[in-house]
Amino acid sequence: MHDLFAILSDGEFHSGEEIGRRLGITRAAVWKQIQRLREESGQEVESQRGKGYRLPNAVEMLDPDYLGKELAGVLPLHVLQTIDSTNEEAKRLLRKTGKPCLVVAEQQTSGRGRRGRHWHSPYAANLYFSLVWPVVAGMRQLEGLSLAVGLSVQGTLTRLGLTDSGVKWPNDVLVQDRKISGILLEVVGDPTDRSHVVIGVGINVNMVAEQLAIKQSWTSLALELGRTLSRNTLLVELICDLSDALQVQLADGFPAIREAWQAASLWQGRKVVLQAGENRIEGTVVGVTDTAELALDDGTGKITCYAGGELTLRLRDDS
Ligand code: BTN
């Protein structure tokens, strides 16, 4: 599928004959591969008698050479086509090598979100990547790490011109109430001893298809900015900012960025409902603590702090 997609990625018409010649297959086999591409990638492929096939728009593929050059010295890089989940692949690589790395893929077939949700990962549309990072300072390094990652992503997207974005506790990045990025952290090993954290980040970059049945309301950079973006240059920006943020987190911990996080928090001072398992807790967001817990005022001035995990946060209708 990748070779066919690479031929079509310029957005120009390519005849069945030309594609067949370049791939070394018959025209009938080209037709079958086009059908498969449509099904597996979710990409629309136009076909016109006498002209051939084309994508509605040119699509820039992930470029291993460019990425390898720009990110040389940051982390060993794995650029993949289709994978179940970059977090899963990162864990497999960690088991094999024991070393930090960065895994990025064109498509995930089982992209995972928090609380067992699915993360939509259509081919060549968005960014899906996982970073394996060593945990050398125990729980102190992990406290607030997911908030630090969210703030780094939000900062990079803002510098690109995205306005109205912010963070939602613990680690979503939203544009108003529409999700543009999600983060999934998984600790591998014992954090009090030797461990690593797998930092999985999904960013909706060029996804525009309204037909994608994502229940939660979502948006993408392309929808917000009105233009498609280079995923290659965006990934380099994100990784450079993220590796700086991870160094700060290691050296100074979450307190160093707590105020910046609160300034970017969309729901600071808003009335919310926190769903903690069966419990529904109402309150007003006061902020986050130095250990990245969410502080809620129950309306009487009594402030209670909640840790991450299985909590969800929704705005109350009347706020
Ligand atoms: C969420 O908001 O629920 C978290 C979504 C995390 C998605 C990313 S995409 C790259 C990495 N691989 C996965 O399977 N999930 C994360």
mmCIF file of all heavy atoms in Angstrom, residues 201-218:
data_model
loop_
_atom_site.group_PDB
_atom_site.id
_atom_site.type_symbol
_atom_site.label_atom_id
_atom_site.label_comp_id
_atom_site.label_asym_id
_atom_site.label_seq_id
_atom_site.Cartn_x
_atom_site.Cartn_y
_atom_site.Cartn_z
ATOM 1 N N VAL A 201 1.930 10.385 21.816
ATOM 2 C CA VAL A 201 1.251 11.639 21.466
ATOM 3 C C VAL A 201 0.555 11.493 20.114
ATOM 4 O O VAL A 201 1.155 11.048 19.133
ATOM 5 C CB VAL A 201 2.264 12.821 21.398
ATOM 6 C CG1 VAL A 201 1.547 14.125 21.048
ATOM 7 C CG2 VAL A 201 3.028 12.957 22.701
ATOM 8 N N GLY A 202 -0.702 11.842 20.078
ATOM 9 C CA GLY A 202 -1.447 11.885 18.821
ATOM 10 C C GLY A 202 -1.879 13.327 18.570
ATOM 11 O O GLY A 202 -2.388 13.989 19.482
ATOM 12 N N ILE A 203 -1.626 13.825 17.361
ATOM 13 C CA ILE A 203 -2.043 15.202 17.022
ATOM 14 C C ILE A 203 -2.810 15.169 15.713
ATOM 15 O O ILE A 203 -2.326 14.621 14.715
ATOM 16 C CB ILE A 203 -0.823 16.137 16.889
ATOM 17 C CG1 ILE A 203 -0.086 16.174 18.228
ATOM 18 C CG2 ILE A 203 -1.256 17.541 16.481
ATOM 19 C CD1 ILE A 203 1.166 16.971 18.224
ATOM 20 N N ASN A 204 -3.998 15.716 15.735
ATOM 21 C CA ASN A 204 -4.782 15.803 14.497
ATOM 22 C C ASN A 204 -4.206 16.934 13.657
ATOM 23 O O ASN A 204 -4.356 18.105 14.002
ATOM 24 C CB ASN A 204 -6.249 16.078 14.808
ATOM 25 C CG ASN A 204 -6.882 14.947 15.601
ATOM 26 O OD1 ASN A 204 -6.415 13.807 15.552
ATOM 27 N ND2 ASN A 204 -7.923 15.261 16.354
ATOM 28 N N VAL A 205 -3.545 16.574 12.570
ATOM 29 C CA VAL A 205 -2.848 17.587 11.774
ATOM 30 C C VAL A 205 -3.655 17.947 10.519
ATOM 31 O O VAL A 205 -4.191 19.048 10.409
ATOM 32 C CB VAL A 205 -1.434 17.092 11.361
ATOM 33 C CG1 VAL A 205 -0.702 18.210 10.606
ATOM 34 C CG2 VAL A 205 -0.629 16.674 12.579
ATOM 35 N N ASN A 206 -3.743 17.001 9.588
ATOM 36 C CA ASN A 206 -4.407 17.330 8.311
ATOM 37 C C ASN A 206 -5.739 16.606 8.141
ATOM 38 O O ASN A 206 -6.295 16.584 7.053
ATOM 39 C CB ASN A 206 -3.459 17.000 7.147
ATOM 40 C CG ASN A 206 -2.245 17.918 7.150
ATOM 41 O OD1 ASN A 206 -2.348 19.088 7.518
ATOM 42 N ND2 ASN A 206 -1.085 17.387 6.797
ATOM 43 N N MET A 207 -6.246 16.006 9.210
ATOM 44 C CA MET A 207 -7.507 15.253 9.135
ATOM 45 C C MET A 207 -8.671 16.243 8.989
ATOM 46 O O MET A 207 -8.823 17.141 9.806
ATOM 47 C CB MET A 207 -7.674 14.414 10.402
ATOM 48 C CG MET A 207 -8.872 13.518 10.411
ATOM 49 S SD MET A 207 -8.688 12.219 11.672
ATOM 50 C CE MET A 207 -8.962 13.118 13.190
ATOM 51 N N VAL A 208 -9.437 16.072 7.944
ATOM 52 C CA VAL A 208 -10.585 16.966 7.750
ATOM 53 C C VAL A 208 -11.879 16.207 7.512
ATOM 54 O O VAL A 208 -12.954 16.776 7.583
ATOM 55 C CB VAL A 208 -10.385 17.948 6.562
ATOM 56 C CG1 VAL A 208 -9.378 19.017 6.908
ATOM 57 C CG2 VAL A 208 -9.990 17.210 5.307
ATOM 58 N N ALA A 209 -11.751 14.893 7.214
ATOM 59 C CA ALA A 209 -12.935 14.130 6.803
ATOM 60 C C ALA A 209 -14.013 14.177 7.874
ATOM 61 O O ALA A 209 -13.837 13.641 8.960
ATOM 62 C CB ALA A 209 -12.533 12.700 6.502
ATOM 63 N N GLU A 210 -15.106 14.845 7.554
ATOM 64 C CA GLU A 210 -16.208 14.966 8.524
ATOM 65 C C GLU A 210 -16.823 13.597 8.810
ATOM 66 O O GLU A 210 -17.411 13.387 9.849
ATOM 67 C CB GLU A 210 -17.312 15.882 7.984
ATOM 68 C CG GLU A 210 -16.852 17.233 7.530
ATOM 69 C CD GLU A 210 -16.353 18.112 8.692
ATOM 70 O OE1 GLU A 210 -16.609 17.766 9.853
ATOM 71 O OE2 GLU A 210 -15.716 19.109 8.406
ATOM 72 N N GLN A 211 -16.627 12.671 7.828
ATOM 73 C CA GLN A 211 -17.278 11.374 7.985
ATOM 74 C C GLN A 211 -16.636 10.509 9.066
ATOM 75 O O GLN A 211 -17.183 9.505 9.467
ATOM 76 C CB GLN A 211 -17.315 10.609 6.652
ATOM 77 C CG GLN A 211 -15.977 10.185 6.110
ATOM 78 C CD GLN A 211 -15.410 11.221 5.129
ATOM 79 O OE1 GLN A 211 -15.704 12.396 5.244
ATOM 80 N NE2 GLN A 211 -14.630 10.775 4.181
ATOM 81 N N LEU A 212 -15.429 10.919 9.524
ATOM 82 C CA LEU A 212 -14.784 10.108 10.559
ATOM 83 C C LEU A 212 -15.646 10.131 11.818
ATOM 84 O O LEU A 212 -15.881 11.186 12.392
ATOM 85 C CB LEU A 212 -13.400 10.659 10.893
ATOM 86 C CG LEU A 212 -12.245 10.027 10.141
ATOM 87 C CD1 LEU A 212 -10.935 10.587 10.649
ATOM 88 C CD2 LEU A 212 -12.249 8.514 10.280
ATOM 89 N N ALA A 213 -16.087 8.962 12.197
ATOM 90 C CA ALA A 213 -17.073 8.898 13.278
ATOM 91 C C ALA A 213 -16.399 8.928 14.649
ATOM 92 O O ALA A 213 -16.359 7.937 15.350
ATOM 93 C CB ALA A 213 -17.905 7.633 13.115
ATOM 94 N N ILE A 214 -15.816 10.048 14.987
ATOM 95 C CA ILE A 214 -15.270 10.175 16.335
ATOM 96 C C ILE A 214 -16.351 10.828 17.184
ATOM 97 O O ILE A 214 -16.745 11.955 16.914
ATOM 98 C CB ILE A 214 -13.993 11.038 16.359
ATOM 99 C CG1 ILE A 214 -12.961 10.497 15.366
ATOM 100 C CG2 ILE A 214 -13.404 11.086 17.756
ATOM 101 C CD1 ILE A 214 -11.663 11.283 15.327
ATOM 102 N N LYS A 215 -16.795 10.111 18.196
ATOM 103 C CA LYS A 215 -17.923 10.600 18.996
ATOM 104 C C LYS A 215 -17.588 11.933 19.659
ATOM 105 O O LYS A 215 -18.332 12.879 19.609
ATOM 106 C CB LYS A 215 -18.267 9.566 20.084
ATOM 107 C CG LYS A 215 -19.217 8.500 19.571
ATOM 108 C CD LYS A 215 -19.839 7.733 20.740
ATOM 109 C CE LYS A 215 -20.210 6.337 20.309
ATOM 110 N NZ LYS A 215 -19.307 5.303 20.855
ATOM 111 N N GLN A 216 -16.385 11.942 20.280
ATOM 112 C CA GLN A 216 -15.950 13.143 20.968
ATOM 113 C C GLN A 216 -15.746 14.257 19.936
ATOM 114 O O GLN A 216 -15.325 13.960 18.826
ATOM 115 C CB GLN A 216 -14.608 12.796 21.562
ATOM 116 C CG GLN A 216 -14.115 13.669 22.638
ATOM 117 C CD GLN A 216 -12.854 13.035 23.212
ATOM 118 O OE1 GLN A 216 -12.464 11.948 22.828
ATOM 119 N NE2 GLN A 216 -12.233 13.738 24.108
ATOM 120 N N SER A 217 -16.043 15.484 20.303
ATOM 121 C CA SER A 217 -15.868 16.512 19.283
ATOM 122 C C SER A 217 -14.376 16.794 19.100
ATOM 123 O O SER A 217 -13.617 16.849 20.051
ATOM 124 C CB SER A 217 -16.673 17.743 19.673
ATOM 125 O OG SER A 217 -15.847 18.737 20.137
ATOM 126 N N TRP A 218 -13.951 16.936 17.865
ATOM 127 C CA TRP A 218 -12.523 17.041 17.566
ATOM 128 C C TRP A 218 -12.281 18.126 16.526
ATOM 129 O O TRP A 218 -13.200 18.592 15.850
ATOM 130 C CB TRP A 218 -11.975 15.714 17.029
ATOM 131 C CG TRP A 218 -12.623 15.278 15.744
ATOM 132 C CD1 TRP A 218 -13.813 14.620 15.607
ATOM 133 C CD2 TRP A 218 -12.138 15.483 14.414
ATOM 134 N NE1 TRP A 218 -14.080 14.409 14.284
ATOM 135 C CE2 TRP A 218 -13.075 14.915 13.521
ATOM 136 C CE3 TRP A 218 -10.989 16.092 13.881
ATOM 137 C CZ2 TRP A 218 -12.902 14.944 12.134
ATOM 138 C CZ3 TRP A 218 -10.822 16.107 12.495
ATOM 139 C CH2 TRP A 218 -11.775 15.531 11.644
#
